Amino acid sequence: MVGLTSAAGLLGFLSEPDLSLRVFALKRLDANVDLLWTEIAASIGQIEALSEDTEFPERELASLLAAKVYYHLQEYNESMQFALGAGKLFDLEQGGEFEETIISKCVDTYIALSALQRHTTPANASNQPPSQLTTAFPHNSEGVASTSASLASPITPFSQSTLPSKSLLSRQDTPSTWDPSLPKNGTAVAASSQGFPLVLDITVKKNLQAIVERLFEKCFREGRYRQVIGIAIEAKNLSVLRRAIQRASDDEKKESRGRSDNTHTRAEELVEYVLEICMGVVQERGLRSDILSLVLDLLNEIPTPDYFAIAKCVVYLDQHSLASKMLRQLVNKPDSRSLATAYQICFDLYDNGSQEFLSKVADDLPKPPAVDRHHPQTDASGAATRESDEDAKETDSLLPTHSSSGDPAASATIPREKITDKQQKVYFLIRSILRGAQSVAVHREFLVRNNRTDISILNKVRDSVEARNSIFHSAVTFCNAFMNVGTTNDQFIRQNLEWLGKAVNWSKFSATAALGVIHKGNVGQGQKLLEPYLPRDAVAAGSVYSQGGSLYALGLIYANQGTDSAPLVISYLKEKFVKSTEEVIQHGGALGLGVCGMASGSDEIYEGLRKVLETDSAISGEAVGLSMGLVMLGTGNIKVLEDMIQYAHDTQHEKIVRGLAIGMALIMYSRQEAADELINGMLDDPDPVLRYGGILTLAMAYCGTGSNKAVRKLLHVAVSDVSDDVRRIAVMSLGFILFRKPSSVPRMVELLSESYNPHVRYGAAMALGISCAGTGLDEAIDLLEPMLKDPTDFVRQGALIALALILIQQNEAMNPKVTSVRKTFQRTISDRHEDAMAKFGCALALGIIDAGGRNCTIGLQTQTGNLNMAGIVGMAVFTQYWYWFPFTHFLSLSFTPTSIIGLDHDLDIPAFKYHSATRPSLFDYPPEQEAKTDEAPEKVATAVLSTTAQAKRRAQKKERLQRPGSMDVDPTPTTPKMTGASLGDTEEDIQVAREAGKDEKPDEKEDNLAAESSKKKAEKEKVGYDMDNMSRVLPAQLKFISFPEGRYTPVKKPTGGVILLVDSQPNEAKTLLELKSKAPEKAAATESPQDGIDAAYRERQQNTERSGAADAVGVLTAIDEDVEGGEEAQLPKDFEYFSDGAIDED
């Protein structure tokens, strides 16, 4: 049949009164609409009238035709509305371009309507607006106080003039404003792609719901459950999310009926997928909490739930009662796998939870009377610990009746639980894990066992800088501390006491605090080593700088584990801090208290800090403000924030304001939308220091979320604020927001790295270092290498530090640029004409790139993928070294050991092997630097004239002839020396090397020979090798690690860190690894820290074999001559003068 060339005749039939003619015309037009739509568009009004005529039998056909016409006109909103009115005539199965476009538009509209409905009707308390600060902030230019709306609004010049794309990552976080005056009670409004409201009547809404339901059913039939889950999460529709997971479980039950291996793996995989999206993609805190609560509910319905997924959820939701109940349930099971699972969950909880959360979990566990007498436990408010619930059974529900962690019903006192002796031992070990004692011990053993510190690099840094300069002395101190963090190796201090003696004032403070970094986690021996430095109750002896630094060091040793595992240390630090009148000691005590009591939420510690803050001392006030934030880390305590804001406006000391600003940022850690009001209030403040704190608050509140509104705000401030400090921190904060997506940062800061403002360039360098730490990302290195030649010294400093952060634990096989970067570090530190700031950054870089004996990386995420609270806080405070060098030590909190440490059900370290499916050289340690001796300058050969040479030859010949019996002897030929690289090479290889090195410099020849030898070595290596327990395993190596079948099998997929093993032969003797670190000595229960200090002073005179810390006591505790109030040197005696005349008289 010949196709239609014109629609004029058919369009005329639409006006005929005959029904059959109109239906015939509609059918023919629908069949040829793709060719004739230009003519049909002129009569679109008649077609719309037919679609709205309730008496017309083919109104659905008219709607379909109108939808296709509007589709060709690119009016997709109208096309979707008429397509929805077509009913079943709109075929989802056809799969044409028109159908796919309309389906996509339907899904977008469904998502917008559903998300808007959730926004206007909060489902639970997590969606309620956060508590409001009562402290008044300065008003903005429009005369109104700052609100969270200003943060969410588009920012010029980075505004979005069109609707964001369909991706959840790029969609506006906050929906459009709710207006109840709109049609259908406000529930039928969504934003169209053109930006104007789209009003849907109730019939179209029902048809939209029907289309989406048909689409969901189609996905269920084809097994595409993840598509439904993605739409449900983006639409914020939890009922659809629950239905998708339950449908997958039901379908799998039907398919597996009659089979014995009914494991419900499909539902568990979907739960893992939901968790991955929830923690990595969803940006709204309230929605994330609701999804995690739903996941917990679903996991509770599975007979054998994924306990590790539950543990990840309960930490984020802060449901300590659920965590303790899950542990009791696992302990009550008789099999060894359940016990190992309980231990593994405890290790994961310690890695991801705060001190306050872990303390509550431990309080909820059963406690035998003996434990109650000797180890009384209290919660954060000081109340007595509660008794545990009754025996948990496998059939019990994991979720409590009231899911809120603050529900009084969940923490009510209940009868004591009866436990066996075996369970008492298990609960004792669980508490030790939750306190961090086990994790700290095994990680210290790993660092001591595998320490690969290159002492020659430290010696090179020491010899290349002038120790009399305090900035250079501090640089060497930080380099040594970072290289040996956690290794307890203070050999460099013991060998360089004369250099150490050149430290004065705050350099001495930093040098003493470095002992805490080196002995970080050495809770058994660290305090004993520091006792000679600590202040005594008697007459103050020694330098106040060493005493303040020792309190700081004590806090670093017990970092993030003080309130529960070492209450005596907390009480000692608090006592010395409150009683001391010296500002330096108060400064060190405040820092030690903050680090040790991090995230404890202790009101008692806060009150002690606040009293010292009110003395208005600039030196101690800065540390106090920071420590307030550390103690209240992530709590969002409104009362504390109000006090800090008020004092920041009252004080005249900039150092105090800066410390308080940083502290407020830490209090809002990971609070997201709850911090918006504080952020806007601080950003609108005329004081640039408070605006600086507002940007840091934004970075901490949205760290790791990738929030678009946070990024837009930072970019706007980075190019608009009048303060260089604020612009620098704004660019730097991009690294904290986007460190989970490091590949996106180089593209974002590429233009900023070329800014005319050196502060912006420095911020771009540090943003790259923070976000790409440990990745070895080539794009980031390409941006940083030109910055090494920047004309501004502190920009070069930032580039050096950032390169070290990126290339930490990288070798030449993983990134070939690491060799050239290391040579750049060596050249910079040796250059006598280099600026002091750049040399300081280079010294830090050399310590960072080899941190922890080359066994640590920068960990802003935990091994399980959650945010590493201590690591993020440590990095944030480290960046404040710009203002105060002692803050540099905080970077030690970000160093994470990279290992796999297998423990059995007794928490012993068995000797076994696991397999790595790579070449050994791929993840091997970088080679140590060869110590080159200084060569003397070569003498220039003296020119010899030809006449002189002839005269010498004649004289020699004449002399030989005069000697009787002489004869001519040929001179002995000289044998050319063989270089180390050429030994064992064939003649062909030697000839090739000679030809290739004719025009090369000596350094280039050495590099080429080393590259050729490494290439030959790689060719000879076999793929796959076995590794011993407690070996270094890099994060990039984990995917190649497997556990061969044998006696020990892991309870979960290896993620690095501590892995619990199930022993298949528990009754046979086991071989354990020999520990190299010293076992902690148990002090007497009645001995106080002050008694130990006095004993240490007495023991100093009798000690013959001491560590570096002990050897340095006399050097670091000496009082500086220029210290006010210090001991004055004795005046010389009067000279007795005798004249010659007096002698004669005698």
Side-chain angles (χ1 to χ4, degrees):
M1 182 177 178
V2 180
L4 293 175
T5 58
S6 176
L10 293 175
L11 292 174
F13 287 164
L14 296 178
S15 302
E16 293 292 331
D18 190 352
L19 182 62
S20 60
L21 288 177
R22 284 182 286 174
V23 173
F24 170 76
L26 288 175
K27 290 182 179 180
R28 292 299 303 274
L29 290 174
D30 178 61
N32 297 274
V33 66
D34 293 337
L35 298 175
L36 306 175
W37 66 270
T38 53
E39 296 183 63
I40 302 173
S43 302
I44 191 65
Q46 291 180 289
I47 300 174
E48 290 184 13
L50 292 175
S51 67
E52 296 173 359
D53 187 359
T54 56
E55 297 180 358
F56 185 61
E58 295 293 338
R59 56 180 303 190
E60 292 183 352
L61 179 61
S63 297
L64 181 62
L65 179 60
K68 292 182 179 180
V69 173
Y70 277 118
Y71 164 75
H72 287 290
L73 291 172
Q74 297 185 1
E75 298 288 345
Y76 299 121
N77 290 320
E78 289 77 2
S79 177
M80 181 199 68
Q81 291 189 66
F82 284 105
L84 293 175
K88 294 184 178 180
L89 292 181
F90 179 64
D91 188 8
L92 299 178
E93 306 291 340
Q94 189 168 346
E97 184 178 351
F98 165 71
E99 286 77 14
E100 291 181 357
T101 303
I102 298 303
I103 290 174
S104 176
K105 191 63 184 176
C106 289
V107 171
D108 286 346
T109 306
Y110 170 80
I111 289 172
L113 289 171
S114 180
L116 180 62
Q117 186 175 6
R118 170 186 165 83
H119 175 67
T120 56
T121 55
N124 54 33
S126 63
N127 292 324
Q128 299 293 344
S131 302
Q132 301 296 312
L133 290 170
T134 58
T135 303
F137 284 102
H139 288 63
N140 57 25
S141 59
E142 298 179 359
V144 294
S146 301
T147 60
S148 59
S150 62
L151 183 62
S153 62
I155 303 299
T156 308
F158 301 96
S159 61
Q160 295 185 349
S161 57
T162 61
L163 181 74
S165 65
K166 290 180 289 184
S167 171
L168 181 64
L169 288 175
S170 59
R171 187 179 301 280
Q172 292 273 5
D173 292 315
T174 305
S176 56
T177 306
W178 169 248
D179 186 1
S181 63
L182 292 171
K184 309 304 177 186
N185 295 326
T187 59
V189 177
S192 68
S193 59
Q194 284 77 17
F196 55 81
L198 173 64
V199 180
L200 304 178
D201 62 26
I202 189 168
T203 304
V204 176
K205 281 191 63 179
K206 290 181 179 179
N207 292 336
L208 174 63
Q209 186 68 29
I211 287 289
V212 174
E213 290 296 332
R214 287 165 56 191
L215 182 63
F216 288 166
E217 190 62 33
K218 179 183 176 182
C219 293
F220 290 151
R221 290 196 307 268
E222 297 176 358
R224 294 183 295 174
Y225 303 99
R226 294 194 176 192
Q227 293 187 7
V228 180
I229 288 175
I231 294 174
I233 292 178
E234 196 166 359
K236 304 179 183 179
N237 194 324
L238 301 185
S239 61
V240 175
L241 178 61
R242 175 188 291 272
R243 186 169 57 131
I245 298 177
Q246 289 179 343
R247 176 66 179 268
S249 178
D250 295 340
D251 291 347
E252 188 175 21
K253 289 179 181 178
K254 295 177 182 178
E255 295 173 3
S256 60
R257 187 169 297 169
R259 297 203 305 260
S260 58
D261 55 343
N262 187 10
T263 56
H264 306 284
T265 56
R266 184 181 299 171
E268 293 177 1
E269 290 176 358
L270 289 178
V271 169
E272 293 179 3
Y273 177 68
V274 171
L275 284 176
E276 181 181 354
I277 293 178
C278 184
M279 304 305 294
V281 178
V282 177
Q283 298 178 359
E284 186 181 337
R285 182 183 177 90
L287 176 61
R288 185 184 297 122
S289 299
D290 290 343
I291 294 175
L292 290 177
S293 299
L294 173 63
V295 169
L296 282 176
D297 194 11
L298 293 173
L299 289 172
N300 187 38
E301 299 174 1
I302 300 177
T304 56
D306 185 355
Y307 292 106
F308 303 112
I310 295 176
K312 184 182 294 187
C313 296
V314 297
V315 171
Y316 184 87
L317 297 174
D318 197 24
Q319 295 189 0
H320 59 88
S321 58
L322 177 57
S324 59
K325 190 170 185 178
M326 178 175 57
L327 292 175
R328 291 197 303 272
Q329 178 179 342
L330 289 170
V331 170
N332 290 336
K333 291 183 178 181
D335 58 314
S336 58
R337 174 172 287 274
S338 297
L339 181 60
T341 303
Y343 288 152
Q344 184 68 64
I345 289 174
C346 292
F347 279 108
D348 292 346
L349 292 177
Y350 174 75
D351 290 338
N352 300 310
S354 63
Q355 284 194 42
E356 185 179 10
F357 175 80
L358 297 174
S359 176
K360 291 179 179 178
V361 173
D363 289 346
D364 286 344
L365 295 175
K367 294 176 286 295
V371 175
D372 286 341
R373 285 196 303 268
H374 297 294
H375 300 282
Q377 302 286 341
T378 58
D379 57 14
S381 62
T385 55
R386 299 177 299 274
E387 305 301 336
S388 301
D389 299 333
E390 58 272 7
D391 290 341
K393 301 179 181 179
E394 184 176 359
T395 57
D396 291 346
S397 173
L398 288 178
L399 284 173
T401 305
H402 301 278
S403 59
S404 176
S405 59
D407 187 3
S411 58
T413 304
I414 54 178
R416 179 180 297 275
E417 180 179 346
K418 295 181 180 179
I419 55 177
T420 62
D421 294 340
K422 181 180 178 181
Q423 289 177 337
Q424 288 184 15
K425 179 182 177 182
V426 170
Y427 284 123
F428 175 80
L429 293 177
I430 285 178
R431 283 192 175 84
S432 68
I433 298 173
L434 293 175
R435 289 196 303 268
Q438 298 293 334
S439 294
V440 169
V442 295
H443 284 141
R444 184 180 71 249
E445 172 65 24
F446 162 74
L447 292 174
V448 172
R449 177 183 294 269
N450 299 279
N451 185 16
R452 298 291 185 90
T453 301
D454 192 349
I455 195 67
S456 63
I457 297 178
L458 275 172
N459 293 332
K460 179 73 173 179
V461 176
R462 178 204 60 199
D463 297 338
S464 301
V465 296
E466 175 56 47
R468 285 292 181 185
N469 192 329
S470 62
I471 184 176
F472 290 147
H473 197 286
S474 297
V476 180
T477 297
F478 297 138
C479 181
N480 175 43
F482 291 161
M483 277 192 178
N484 295 286
V485 57
T487 63
T488 69
N489 178 19
D490 48 16
Q491 174 187 357
F492 179 79
I493 296 177
R494 184 166 57 250
Q495 295 175 352
N496 296 275
L497 295 178
E498 181 181 354
W499 164 84
L500 191 64
K502 298 178 181 180
V504 294
N505 297 341
W506 289 104
S507 295
K508 185 173 293 186
F509 180 92
S510 298
T512 310
L515 295 174
V517 178
I518 296 173
H519 293 274
K520 179 174 176 285
N522 189 10
V523 295
Q525 299 290 329
Q527 184 176 351
K528 183 178 180 181
L529 292 170
L530 288 176
E531 280 169 354
Y533 301 89
L534 294 170
R536 291 186 292 175
D537 291 337
V539 179
S543 171
V544 292
Y545 292 97
S546 65
Q547 294 178 38
S550 64
L551 294 176
Y552 184 15
L554 189 61
L556 289 171
I557 291 177
Y558 289 90
N560 198 23
Q561 55 174 323
T563 53
D564 244 6
S565 59
L568 290 178
V569 174
I570 284 285
S571 60
Y572 172 76
L573 286 171
K574 189 163 51 180
E575 177 189 356
K576 296 301 177 185
F577 169 72
V578 173
K579 288 184 177 181
S580 176
T581 57
E582 292 285 346
E583 292 179 333
V584 178
I585 297 179
Q586 287 180 341
H587 185 92
L591 293 178
L593 265 177
V595 177
C596 191
M598 185 187 302
S600 62
S602 173
D603 293 331
E604 184 180 357
I605 298 178
Y606 167 73
E607 288 300 327
L609 292 169
R610 188 173 62 84
K611 290 180 181 178
V612 176
L613 177 67
E614 292 174 351
T615 61
D616 204 38
S617 167
I619 294 178
S620 60
E622 182 179 25
V624 167
L626 171 62
S627 297
M628 284 179 172
L630 289 171
V631 173
M632 295 294 175
L633 178 63
T635 60
N637 193 310
I638 298 297
K639 180 181 180 301
V640 174
L641 287 172
E642 290 174 352
D643 293 343
M644 296 174 74
I645 293 170
Q646 186 63 41
Y647 197 85
H649 285 108
D650 293 343
T651 186
Q652 299 297 319
H653 295 290
E654 181 179 329
K655 290 176 70 68
I656 297 180
V657 176
R658 189 175 305 282
L660 290 171
I662 300 172
M664 287 187 282
L666 298 179
I667 292 176
M668 283 300 181
Y669 167 81
S670 193
R671 303 294 295 181
Q672 296 186 19
E673 293 87 357
D676 286 354
E677 185 191 8
L678 176 64
I679 292 170
N680 285 280
M682 296 179 74
L683 289 181
D684 287 339
D685 198 283
D687 188 352
V689 179
L690 285 178
R691 295 203 305 275
Y692 182 100
I695 291 296
L696 192 60
T697 305
L698 177 62
M700 292 293 97
Y702 289 90
C703 60
T705 63
S707 172
N708 288 316
K709 71 176 183 181
V711 171
R712 291 197 303 271
K713 190 70 173 179
L714 292 175
L715 291 175
H716 175 62
V717 174
V719 298
S720 63
D721 199 280
V722 296
S723 171
D724 287 335
D725 288 349
V726 179
R727 298 179 68 176
R728 183 180 66 250
I729 191 63
V731 181
M732 191 188 308
S733 297
L734 291 171
F736 289 103
I737 303 294
L738 299 170
F739 67 79
R740 279 181 164 170
K741 295 178 286 186
S743 58
S744 64
V745 179
R747 179 170 50 87
M748 185 172 296
V749 303
E750 183 176 3
L751 294 178
L752 295 174
S753 65
E754 300 174 359
S755 171
Y756 74 94
N757 191 324
H759 293 268
V760 174
R761 297 200 300 271
Y762 173 88
M766 292 300 294
L768 289 170
I770 294 169
S771 61
C772 305
T775 62
L777 195 64
D778 290 332
E779 292 84 353
I781 298 174
D782 292 338
L783 288 179
L784 289 171
E785 284 180 334
M787 301 175 75
L788 294 175
K789 301 177 182 178
D790 195 276
T792 307
D793 53 359
F794 62 79
V795 176
R796 297 197 299 274
Q797 177 192 89
L800 290 165
I801 295 174
L803 280 172
L805 292 172
I806 294 172
L807 292 174
I808 188 172
Q809 287 198 323
Q810 300 281 317
N811 59 19
E812 194 172 4
M814 300 171 66
N815 193 318
K817 293 185 178 181
V818 68
T819 303
S820 62
V821 171
R822 284 181 177 271
K823 288 184 178 180
T824 302
F825 291 167
Q826 296 291 338
R827 185 168 59 252
T828 303
I829 200 68
S830 303
D831 188 358
R832 295 184 178 181
H833 303 288
E834 185 59 85
D835 292 325
M837 297 297 291
K839 277 195 169 186
F840 178 83
C842 187
L844 293 185
L846 286 168
I848 292 170
I849 200 170
D850 289 333
R854 299 183 173 179
N855 292 300
C856 290
T857 189
I858 298 293
L860 302 185
Q861 293 187 79
T862 62
Q863 302 285 0
T864 56
N866 288 351
L867 297 180
N868 182 5
M869 180 185 64
I872 293 172
V873 171
M875 180 64 73
V877 182
F878 162 73
T879 59
Q880 307 309 309
Y881 79 88
W882 181 281
Y883 303 100
W884 192 236
F885 281 162
F887 289 160
T888 308
H889 285 309
F890 270 84
L891 188 62
S892 62
L893 303 179
S894 301
F895 290 130
T896 303
T898 52
S899 63
I900 288 183
I901 304 174
L903 303 179
D904 61 9
H905 60 277
D906 294 326
L907 299 186
D908 294 326
I909 308 176
F912 77 103
K913 296 181 181 294
Y914 40 85
H915 185 75
S916 177
T918 61
R919 291 188 175 93
S921 62
L922 181 58
F923 298 104
D924 198 8
Y925 290 94
E928 292 189 2
Q929 180 183 0
E930 297 180 1
K932 295 183 179 180
T933 56
D934 295 335
E935 299 178 356
E938 297 181 359
K939 294 182 179 180
V940 180
T942 306
V944 180
L945 299 176
S946 59
T947 55
T948 305
Q950 292 177 1
K952 285 184 178 181
R953 284 197 297 270
R954 285 195 297 267
Q956 290 175 359
K957 185 175 181 181
K958 184 176 180 180
E959 183 181 357
R960 284 197 303 269
L961 293 175
Q962 290 177 354
R963 289 201 303 262
S966 62
M967 58 181 293
D968 294 337
V969 181
D970 294 336
T972 305
T974 58
T975 304
K977 295 182 179 181
M978 301 292 288
T979 61
S982 60
L983 292 176
D985 290 345
T986 62
E987 295 182 0
E988 183 179 354
D989 295 336
I990 296 174
Q991 184 65 25
V992 171
R994 286 176 179 173
E995 294 178 358
K998 285 181 180 179
D999 301 329
E1000 293 179 354
K1001 298 178 182 179
D1003 293 341
E1004 295 177 354
K1005 290 182 180 180
E1006 293 178 5
D1007 294 342
N1008 292 337
L1009 290 174
E1012 290 177 7
S1013 61
S1014 62
K1015 190 179 296 183
K1016 292 179 181 179
K1017 182 180 179 181
E1019 293 175 355
K1020 297 177 182 178
E1021 285 181 327
K1022 295 181 180 179
V1023 177
Y1025 64 102
D1026 291 336
M1027 305 176 67
D1028 294 326
N1029 190 16
M1030 267 203 172
S1031 296
R1032 187 184 82 151
V1033 179
L1034 303 186
Q1037 190 179 2
L1038 287 172
K1039 57 186 177 182
F1040 302 104
I1041 296 296
S1042 60
F1043 284 73
E1045 295 183 1
R1047 179 172 180 177
Y1048 298 102
T1049 55
V1051 296
K1052 71 169 186 176
K1053 182 181 178 181
T1055 56
V1058 178
I1059 298 292
L1060 266 293
L1061 307 171
V1062 178
D1063 189 357
S1064 59
Q1065 303 170 2
N1067 297 326
E1068 297 186 6
K1070 56 186 178 183
T1071 304
L1072 303 179
L1073 291 180
E1074 182 181 356
L1075 302 182
K1076 294 186 177 181
S1077 61
K1078 295 181 180 180
E1081 297 180 4
K1082 296 182 180 179
T1086 57
E1087 183 180 357
S1088 65
Q1090 186 61 47
D1091 297 335
I1093 294 173
D1094 296 335
Y1097 275 102
R1098 294 192 300 269
E1099 187 181 351
R1100 278 177 53 191
Q1101 306 299 330
Q1102 305 173 359
N1103 242 350
T1104 56
E1105 187 175 334
R1106 298 181 295 183
S1107 64
D1111 289 336
V1113 171
V1115 177
L1116 291 178
T1117 58
I1119 300 178
D1120 301 327
E1121 294 180 1
D1122 57 347
V1123 175
E1124 184 178 353
E1127 296 178 1
E1128 297 182 357
Q1130 295 182 355
L1131 294 175
K1133 297 180 179 180
D1134 295 336
F1135 292 101
E1136 296 182 1
Y1137 180 78
F1138 299 97
S1139 63
D1140 295 338
I1143 297 175
D1144 293 338
E1145 291 177 1
D1146 293 340

